[in-house]
Amino acid sequence: METLTLMGMGFVHALSPVNLFAMFASTAVGVTIGCLPGLSAAMGVALLLPVTFGMDPATGLIVLGGIYCGAIFGGSISAILIHTPGTPASAATAIEGYQLTLRGQAAKALTTACFASFCGGLLSCISLYFFSPLLAQLAMKFKSPEYFWLSLFGLTIIAGVSSKSMLKGLMSGVLGLLLSTIGMDPMEGVPRFMFGQAALYNGIDTTCALIGLFSMSQILILAEKKIVQRPRAAEFKDAFGLSGKEIRRISPTILRSWVIGNIVGILPGAGASIACFMGYNEARRFSKHKEEFGKGSIEGVAGSEAANNAVTGGSLIPTLTLGIPGESVTAVLMGGLIIHGLQPGPALFTTYAGMTYTFFAGFVIVQFFMLGIGILGCRGFATIARLSDAILIPSIFLLCVVGSYAIHNNYTEVIIMMIFGVIGYLARKFDLNAAAIVLGLILGPIGEKGLRRALMLSDGDPSILFSTPICWALIALCVLGVLSPMLMGRMEKKMAAQHENC
Amino acid sequence: MKKSDIGIIAIMYGICAFFFFMTVELPEEAQTYPRCLLAGLCVLNTLYMLRCLLRLRREGFSNDLPQIFSGFMHSQFFLVVLCCIGYMLLMYAAGFYVASIVYLTGVMLLLHVPRLHILLTVGVLALLIYAVFTLFLKVPLPVGVLFS
């Protein structure tokens, strides 16, 4: 009953004019970022993080959620119209979507993508509402040793899964942990590795690191490539909308992709780019019109888009309840949460329940905005998708500078952002893992406090770290996290083989 | 083994050595945790090096740098980087808005953006930043030593 009241109150707060405007604007910005090939959802969320500083935490989180959902959907616009996925999450959409465009059915493909994204996102909110409080209750049993293992688990899973080499991923994570020690020692109160900079007293600012690693590094990546004019989006004259028969046809696919996307989202380490291919493959496997696949199938578009948007709600579950972001976007979102003074965990469902349920309600309403903006604005977004890198490079840099300067109104943050930009660029070039570095930075203080407090309580006896069944369960999960690249590698190979066979 | 692996291994050992040297200045109690992390990084890096050496025996040595930097536009890249650094210096001297207008116009001209697009981009960004950062967030953006 109490939860229902909180849910209701969440909607009441989320429907305030300020929040509604924030949802509209953030979703539109997210779709814009998503439809621009080369820009990612993580980059968008990181870049716009400073804009949320002046907002109420719930509104700030709604803005970040809007950008996240909008960007994941936005990738499908350029995938369908110019055969270039705006984000990796829409790679599978490009296969069938562009074929439909070539057949003069671009509007149908866009409507299908929009409708499937809306359904996938909306349905994923059900699991967000249902599973998050349950997992948060489990997290209430966690004490210092458990928090130490939890942070280690978060690190192993993201480091292991998101890079080609597990060792490189783990090295990135430990590097992030090492960088998180810059600043005041939390137990001894002595300065560590501060290089005489008073601005580093509280450690490296997460926002600066996020902007540098995801946005500034993108500028360097864009700057090194030859600037070419993107292809003109295909003209389309067919009408928007789906018939009842078409909706009935794609409904089972959407439901299937919702389940897939949700599971993939909840599992740390996977992500929208894997979910879209899984959703697409399952759509093809169960389709009664297999002959249409490869020539333009609305089921293919729906399968991919429903799955990648179903990831959004699912991926927030471990992020909000346990503080384990499964991929780079949720790592950035978690950074945003911490910046607003909120620590992921049970407190979000007790002390800050009002704020959390307002965010959840906002996340639901964002899906409706996404549907409206997607259908009404896709012609405009198709034009934006052609925006040259020559304009994007200085514009993004300007936003990086002003965003990092706005944190504490000084140049040190801007310099730190630029340093992290170079680290991010080199990490991307040499297959290190930027998401793991960020996660190390975020989880470092939690893990350090957990470890040192636990050792202090036990007078330095390390057996306290193995004293409860939850500790052992988390250790087992850490081992699984280390082994997961092999499992994911096999899964990807299997899917690639299936795709080639068809 | 790839050529880039040598760089990664060397940089990681360099970071370990640098931070280890820095921990010497810390009180004993504050040394333990960073040194544990350094030991972890060192072990992982050594494992990576061993794996690279095994690969060297199996597959030989290959130079992957041309592949990593394929299509790298040297002049464009360093021009953009220089402009970014120049922008930071100009912002300190002439303030945020003046420096931003000069930077945006300069970089876009160098990257051959049509003049109308430059005008539109500068106008839109200036308005956007003024609305969000100056009016909404009330961030005191730098005015520069010349105007302060």
Side-chain angles (χ1 to χ4, degrees):
Chain A
M1 192 64 196
E2 198 192 348
T3 311
L4 281 176
T5 314
L6 282 166
M7 282 166 71
M9 287 307 290
F11 275 97
V12 171
H13 291 142
L15 285 166
S16 71
V18 173
N19 283 338
L20 286 174
F21 176 73
M23 285 172 215
F24 169 74
S26 61
T27 312
V29 169
V31 178
T32 309
I33 289 168
C35 76
L36 283 162
L39 305 190
S40 65
M43 195 219 88
V45 177
L47 196 62
L48 293 161
L49 204 52
V51 178
T52 67
F53 287 172
M55 296 175 189
D56 170 70
T59 311
L61 286 177
I62 288 171
V63 167
L64 299 180
I67 298 167
Y68 180 21
C69 292
I72 296 289
F73 160 69
S76 67
I77 297 175
S78 45
I80 290 167
L81 295 178
I82 58 173
H83 203 209
T84 310
T87 58
S90 298
T93 311
I95 304 168
E96 299 301 328
Y98 190 63
Q99 290 302 321
L100 281 166
T101 301
L102 292 179
R103 278 169 38 187
Q105 293 181 310
K108 191 177 286 299
L110 286 166
T111 315
T112 308
C114 221
F115 181 69
S117 298
F118 165 72
C119 294
L122 200 61
L123 290 169
S124 80
C125 296
I126 297 172
S127 28
L128 186 62
Y129 271 110
F130 184 73
F131 288 114
S132 299
L134 292 179
L135 214 56
Q137 273 178 356
L138 174 75
M140 282 175 106
K141 293 177 181 153
F142 288 12
K143 293 187 182 75
S144 298
E146 284 87 356
Y147 273 111
F148 166 70
W149 287 115
L150 189 68
S151 54
L152 212 62
F153 168 58
L155 211 59
T156 52
I157 199 91
I158 203 161
V161 177
S162 321
S163 21
K164 285 177 194 164
S165 157
M166 194 189 67
L167 277 171
K168 277 185 182 176
L170 289 172
M171 282 197 294
S172 312
V174 179
L175 185 64
L177 287 177
L178 195 62
L179 293 171
S180 79
T181 61
I182 292 175
M184 200 56 80
D185 183 306
M187 297 295 182
E188 306 299 325
V190 289
R192 286 188 307 204
F193 319 127
M194 280 171 56
F195 311 101
Q197 294 291 320
L200 290 173
Y201 185 88
N202 289 321
I204 290 170
D205 192 279
T206 321
T207 317
C208 289
L210 290 171
I211 297 173
L213 285 170
F214 293 103
S215 306
M216 178 72 203
S217 65
Q218 188 63 39
I219 296 167
L220 299 175
I221 293 282
L222 292 176
E224 70 169 33
K225 288 178 191 152
K226 189 177 180 188
I227 291 166
V228 285
Q229 186 68 40
R230 290 205 179 93
R232 188 176 282 277
E235 291 286 330
F236 54 98
K237 288 183 180 133
D238 62 321
F240 283 97
L242 292 168
S243 65
K245 195 181 162 192
E246 284 166 335
I247 291 177
R248 276 196 299 279
R249 191 177 147 191
I250 60 171
S251 294
T253 305
I254 290 174
L255 284 173
R256 213 177 295 117
S257 289
W258 161 53
V259 176
I260 293 167
N262 251 285
I263 295 170
V264 169
I266 293 169
L267 289 174
S273 47
I274 292 175
C276 75
F277 275 105
M278 288 178 84
Y280 174 74
N281 278 337
E282 291 310 301
R284 189 174 49 192
R285 208 154 67 89
F286 283 92
S287 175
K288 288 176 186 161
H289 306 274
K290 286 193 177 70
E291 71 286 352
E292 285 185 11
F293 278 80
K295 294 169 193 158
S297 160
I298 55 167
E299 284 171 278
V301 173
S304 156
E305 282 302 303
N308 67 24
N309 273 74
V311 167
T312 55
S315 67
L316 285 173
I317 299 169
T319 310
L320 296 176
T321 54
L322 301 173
I324 305 174
E327 54 170 347
S328 49
V329 194
T330 38
V332 180
L333 265 170
M334 195 170 108
L337 201 72
I338 291 167
I339 287 155
H340 280 283
L342 303 160
Q343 201 66 48
L348 284 183
F349 296 86
T350 51
T351 321
Y352 304 106
M355 191 270 329
T356 307
Y357 281 96
T358 305
F359 169 53
F360 284 4
F363 206 74
V364 172
I365 303 165
V366 154
Q367 312 301 329
F368 288 90
F369 276 103
M370 194 173 74
L371 182 69
I373 291 169
I375 289 182
L376 297 174
C378 57
R379 280 179 205 272
F381 289 119
T383 313
I384 292 171
R386 293 190 67 229
L387 207 62
S388 165
D389 287 346
I391 295 175
L392 289 177
I393 292 166
S395 307
I396 298 172
F397 182 68
L398 196 73
L399 293 173
C400 287
V401 169
V402 73
S404 43
Y405 182 86
I407 300 166
H408 294 123
N409 304 333
N410 67 40
Y411 284 99
T412 316
E413 260 73 29
V414 183
I415 293 164
I416 292 172
M417 179 276 292
M418 288 176 87
I419 293 170
F420 271 90
V422 176
I423 294 174
Y425 172 74
L426 293 173
R428 287 166 76 161
K429 280 279 159 200
F430 296 104
D431 276 337
L432 291 165
N433 189 337
I437 297 175
V438 164
L439 207 61
L441 265 173
I442 295 172
L443 295 177
I446 303 168
E448 183 181 1
K449 276 180 203 157
L451 175 68
R452 291 175 72 174
R453 270 191 199 144
L455 291 174
M456 211 156 74
L457 288 169
S458 66
D459 287 327
D461 180 8
S463 67
I464 194 172
L465 299 172
F466 309 92
S467 57
T468 66
I470 299 176
C471 282
W472 283 102
L474 288 167
I475 293 167
L477 285 172
C478 286
V479 175
L480 193 72
V482 172
L483 294 175
S484 57
M486 281 180 264
L487 300 172
M488 298 298 282
R490 279 186 188 175
M491 200 194 288
E492 274 178 29
K493 270 182 195 166
K494 199 179 159 189
M495 277 195 300
Q498 271 180 2
H499 184 65
E500 274 172 23
N501 289 340
C502 292
Chain B
M1 188 180 185
K2 294 170 188 161
K3 196 171 182 179
S4 63
D5 292 330
I6 300 170
I8 293 169
I9 293 163
I11 289 171
M12 287 296 171
Y13 276 132
I15 290 170
C16 288
F18 177 72
F19 274 89
F20 183 81
F21 178 73
M22 299 271 289
T23 58
V24 177
E25 295 168 11
L26 298 174
E28 203 177 320
E29 294 81 13
Q31 284 179 355
T32 319
Y33 180 72
R35 282 193 177 173
C36 285
L37 292 177
L38 286 171
L41 187 58
C42 228
V43 168
L44 287 170
N45 198 30
T46 308
L47 285 173
Y48 185 67
M49 188 177 72
L50 290 173
R51 211 186 67 175
C52 290
L53 288 172
L54 279 174
R55 208 176 270 172
L56 178 70
R57 274 182 62 185
R58 256 199 336 256
E59 299 163 18
F61 184 80
S62 65
N63 183 5
D64 61 336
L65 293 181
Q67 195 189 334
I68 291 172
F69 292 100
S70 106
F72 190 90
M73 305 282 289
H74 296 87
S75 52
Q76 180 182 290
F77 181 82
F78 290 110
L79 205 65
V80 169
V81 171
L82 273 177
C83 286
C84 291
I85 296 166
Y87 169 55
M88 296 299 299
L89 297 172
L90 188 63
M91 187 163 73
Y92 182 74
F96 177 78
Y97 284 105
V98 174
S100 299
I101 291 166
V102 173
Y103 165 75
L104 282 171
T105 313
V107 173
M108 283 192 274
L109 275 174
L110 286 169
L111 297 176
H112 311 293
V113 176
R115 289 190 182 181
L116 181 68
H117 291 191
I118 295 175
L119 205 67
L120 278 171
T121 310
V122 172
V124 167
L125 276 173
L127 273 175
L128 189 80
I129 288 168
Y130 181 73
V132 175
F133 289 92
T134 306
L135 293 183
F136 174 62
L137 291 174
K138 296 186 172 57
V139 175
L141 293 171
V143 286
V145 287
L146 294 176
F147 302 109
S148 60

